């Protein structure tokens, strides 16, 4: 019993110490913390809110791109303003964005010797206590303690796994170590004390670009970043090992990269099913946010094997065609963002591959980002009466050369056993 009481006392002491640390950090850094507001010009009311923090003495403030994305896309419809810890408001100008890592730099008019956050020179160690700062639900600035758990292993673009509550409205707020140095930026939550942060080195790189690169438009920044990121993704995919994996009587690719996650399903337990179906779906478990109605940067592959049970060829083909029509875009976009799909149809004969198939290759162009496309490829076997293999992929925001290189590799990797 004495041991239990001692343990409780120790836990209470640790929690009290953590609370005291959080309070000290908050008092020290509160003048450099801001609520970032997106204001609809027509109504004069808030459209969205987030958090931000000053990173130099000239009034430069870091936040998430998604907090100010409305202004980045529609600067005539919105304006950006800040609210400080004393209730003062002021205008902000957008200086730089990094849509891939969900970061933005905005600037306010600042007097001399304004306090600001220091960016850490190193990374935290696993298990290190950190403090997340922000403005959840418009309730004022708060500090939430948590733990550094390293980088998310399955992520293509680095994200820190943070054990702590990254609440709504804290997006864009800083996460600091016990020395009050920024080691991450709040970006997302999966609930149950699971949060994700942008590593601070991404902010360092954006800050350096702001200081050393000539001004270019926000649209040009986004276009360059999307193109570079998708080129990196496709190059990584093509240079990785593609192994053959059996799906029914077909062979499909299994790409050895940690950021592509695959799931399987079948109706093998349905004894009354007219068609035995087995499905493998593989996808990049992340995308790039451009606006609430426009996402890009993703890649997905799906393979579907079908075998008839006591069906004539005509009925089987009819049900088969219904499955083919299920394929669609892998990302969300509007007519404002992309053109209509343009498709090319072809027949790939057994002399070229050991599977006779009908193929469709479709692209739609990005209206504001030249040279970028969404791509949809579909291949459906037509050489067996009672068996079928459907394979398709989608890639969002890719250049033509990368799309064609991936298509060739994909086509070569699908065959009958």
């Amino acid at each position: 019993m004495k041991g239990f009481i001692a343990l409780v006392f120790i836990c209470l002491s640790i929690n009290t110490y953590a609370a005291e640390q959080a309070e000290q950090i908050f008092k020290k850094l509160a003048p450099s913390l801001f609520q970032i507001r997106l204001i609809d010009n027509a109504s004069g009311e808030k459209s969205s809110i987030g958090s931000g923090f000053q990173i130099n003495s000239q009034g430069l403030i870091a936040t998430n791109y998604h907090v100010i994305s409305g202004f980045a896309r529609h600067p005539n419809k919105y304006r950006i303003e800040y609210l400080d810890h004393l209730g003062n408001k002021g205008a902000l100008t957008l200086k730089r964005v990094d849509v891939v890592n969900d970061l933005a730099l905005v600037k306010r008019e600042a007097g001399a010797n304004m306090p600001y956050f220091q960016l850490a020179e190193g990374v935290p160690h696993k298990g290190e206590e950190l403090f997340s700062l922000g403005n959840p639900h418009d309730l004022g600035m708060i500090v939430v303690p948590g733990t550094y758990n390293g980088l998310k292993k399955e992520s293509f673009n680095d994200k820190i796994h943070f054990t702590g509550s990254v609440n709504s409205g804290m997006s864009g707020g800083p996460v600091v170590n016990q020395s009050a140095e920024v080691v991450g930026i709040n970006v997302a939550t999966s609930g149950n004390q699971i949060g994700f942060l942008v590593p601070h080195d991404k902010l360092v790189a954006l800050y350096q670009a702001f200081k050393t690169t000539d001004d270019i438009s926000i649209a040009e920044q986004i276009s360059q970043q999307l193109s570079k990121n998708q080129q990196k993704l496709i190059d990584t995919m093509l240079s990785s090992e593609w192994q053959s994996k059996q799906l029914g009587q077909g062979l499909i690719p299994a790409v050895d990269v940690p950021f592509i996650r695959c799931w399987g399903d079948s109706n093998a337990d349905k004894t009354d099913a007219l068609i035995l179906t087995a499905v493998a779906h593989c996808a990049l478990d992340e995308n790039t946010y451009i606006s609430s109605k426009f996402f890009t940067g993703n890649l997905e592959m799906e393979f579907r094997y079908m075998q008839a049970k006591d069906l004539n060829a005509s009925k089987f083909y009819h049900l088969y065609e219904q499955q083919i029509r299920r394929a669609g875009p892998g990302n969300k976009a509007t007519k404002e963002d992309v053109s209509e799909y343009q498709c090319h149809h072809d027949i790939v004969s057994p002399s070229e591959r050991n599977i006779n198939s009908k193929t469709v290759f479709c692209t739609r162009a990005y209206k504001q980002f030249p040279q970028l496309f969404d791509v949809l490829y579909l291949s459906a076997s037509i050489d067996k009466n009672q068996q079928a293999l459907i394979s398709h992929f989608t890639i969002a925001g890719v250049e033509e050369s990368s799309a064609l290189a991936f298509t060739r590799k994909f086509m070569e990797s699908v065959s009958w056993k």
Side-chain angles (χ1 to χ4, degrees):
M1 185 67 179
K2 289 182 179 179
F4 174 75
I5 293 174
L7 179 60
V8 170
F9 178 76
I10 291 172
C11 290
L12 289 173
S13 298
I14 291 172
N15 290 336
T16 300
Y17 177 68
E20 290 175 351
Q21 275 191 305
E23 185 177 356
Q24 292 173 1
I25 287 174
F26 177 80
K27 288 180 178 179
K28 177 181 179 181
L29 300 178
S32 306
L33 276 170
F34 305 93
Q35 181 183 97
I36 308 299
R37 299 176 161 195
L38 192 65
I39 308 297
D40 178 81
N41 286 327
S43 67
E45 298 294 338
K46 298 190 296 291
S47 175
S48 64
I49 63 170
S51 301
F53 57 103
Q54 194 160 314
I55 61 172
N56 72 6
S57 60
Q58 286 78 51
L60 197 67
I61 296 171
T63 186
N64 283 150
Y65 165 79
H66 77 257
V67 172
I68 53 81
S69 61
F71 176 85
R73 299 277 288 161
H74 304 286
N76 294 324
K77 176 177 171 60
Y78 299 102
R79 68 180 186 271
I80 314 172
E81 70 176 27
Y82 69 84
L83 177 73
D84 68 15
H85 71 300
L86 298 176
N88 300 312
K89 299 178 183 178
L92 292 170
T93 55
L94 180 59
K95 293 297 184 181
R96 200 88 187 183
V97 299
D98 177 353
V99 294
V100 172
N101 293 296
D102 199 357
L103 293 173
L105 296 178
V106 293
K107 192 175 186 302
R108 68 179 184 129
E109 292 297 324
N113 301 318
M114 292 294 298
Y116 61 93
F117 282 78
Q118 298 289 335
L119 304 182
E121 294 185 0
V123 299
H125 60 78
K126 198 155 188 177
E128 181 175 343
E129 185 175 37
L130 303 177
F131 302 90
S132 172
L133 293 79
N135 191 314
H137 302 294
D138 208 10
L139 297 177
M141 294 295 177
I142 66 167
V143 182
V144 176
T147 305
Y148 176 82
N149 289 295
L151 297 178
K152 182 184 177 186
K153 293 181 180 179
E154 300 84 11
S155 183
F156 178 65
N157 292 299
D158 292 342
K159 291 288 186 297
I160 293 172
H161 176 198
F162 173 72
T163 303
S165 298
V166 179
N167 299 301
S168 176
M170 295 181 72
S171 293
V175 179
V176 301
N177 58 23
Q178 294 185 21
S179 299
E181 298 169 328
V182 176
V183 296
I185 301 92
N186 297 322
V187 70
T189 180
S190 291
N192 297 321
Q193 296 289 303
I194 299 176
F196 296 106
L197 318 175
V198 180
H200 78 290
D201 65 312
K202 310 300 183 185
L203 177 57
V204 171
L206 183 63
Y207 185 33
Q208 289 300 320
F210 166 75
K211 293 193 296 182
T212 60
T213 306
D214 292 336
D215 285 341
I216 60 175
S217 70
I218 298 300
E220 288 178 298
Q221 293 176 43
I222 295 174
S223 181
Q224 291 176 10
Q225 291 159 13
L226 294 179
S227 179
K228 182 178 179 180
N229 191 61
Q230 283 303 78
Q231 184 68 56
K232 176 185 171 185
L233 173 63
I234 300 302
D235 287 349
T236 303
M237 291 287 291
L238 294 179
S239 62
S240 300
E241 184 177 2
W242 289 49
Q243 300 175 340
S244 289
K245 176 182 177 181
Q246 188 170 344
L247 182 69
Q249 294 302 308
L251 293 175
I252 63 172
V255 188
D256 186 21
V257 289
F259 50 83
I260 296 291
R261 304 180 68 183
C262 295
W263 306 92
D265 195 12
S266 74
N267 64 349
D269 59 326
K270 308 296 183 183
T271 57
D272 59 343
L274 296 176
I275 298 177
L276 172 65
T277 303
V279 181
H281 181 85
C282 303
L284 177 69
D285 192 23
E286 58 188 271
N287 51 47
T288 302
Y289 178 100
I290 304 299
S291 74
S292 60
K293 298 180 180 179
F294 187 15
F295 292 81
T296 186
N298 61 320
L299 181 152
E300 64 174 3
M301 303 181 290
E302 184 174 283
F303 308 92
R304 183 176 295 264
Y305 172 76
M306 303 170 66
Q307 183 174 22
K309 292 182 180 180
D310 302 322
L311 277 180
N312 61 48
S314 177
K315 181 66 172 177
F316 176 65
Y317 187 70
H318 174 71
L319 294 175
Y320 180 33
E321 281 193 318
Q322 289 181 347
Q323 295 296 320
I324 293 173
R325 287 194 288 268
R326 294 177 65 252
N331 63 316
K332 184 165 65 171
T334 69
K335 292 180 179 179
E336 178 184 318
D337 308 309
V338 295
S339 67
E340 295 291 333
Y341 270 113
Q342 301 294 318
C343 297
H344 175 73
H345 299 255
D346 203 356
I347 298 292
V348 179
S349 67
S351 61
E352 299 172 19
R353 296 286 301 128
N354 62 334
I355 180 171
N356 193 0
S357 61
K358 181 186 295 184
T359 66
V360 183
F361 182 82
C362 303
T363 62
R364 61 182 183 183
Y366 282 22
K367 293 183 177 180
Q368 293 187 317
F369 309 123
Q371 312 304 318
L372 294 180
F373 302 85
D374 289 337
V375 175
L376 185 154
Y377 171 85
L378 173 69
S379 174
S381 66
I382 55 174
D383 55 357
K384 295 182 183 292
N385 289 330
Q386 300 291 304
Q387 295 181 72
L389 184 61
I390 305 172
S391 56
H392 94 266
F393 71 79
T394 62
I395 311 175
V398 67
E399 293 188 2
E400 180 182 5
S401 59
S402 294
L404 293 176
F406 187 87
T407 303
R408 286 192 293 269
K409 183 75 171 181
F410 185 88
M411 292 176 64
E412 293 169 356
S413 65
V414 180
S415 66
W416 289 118
K417 183 180 174 185

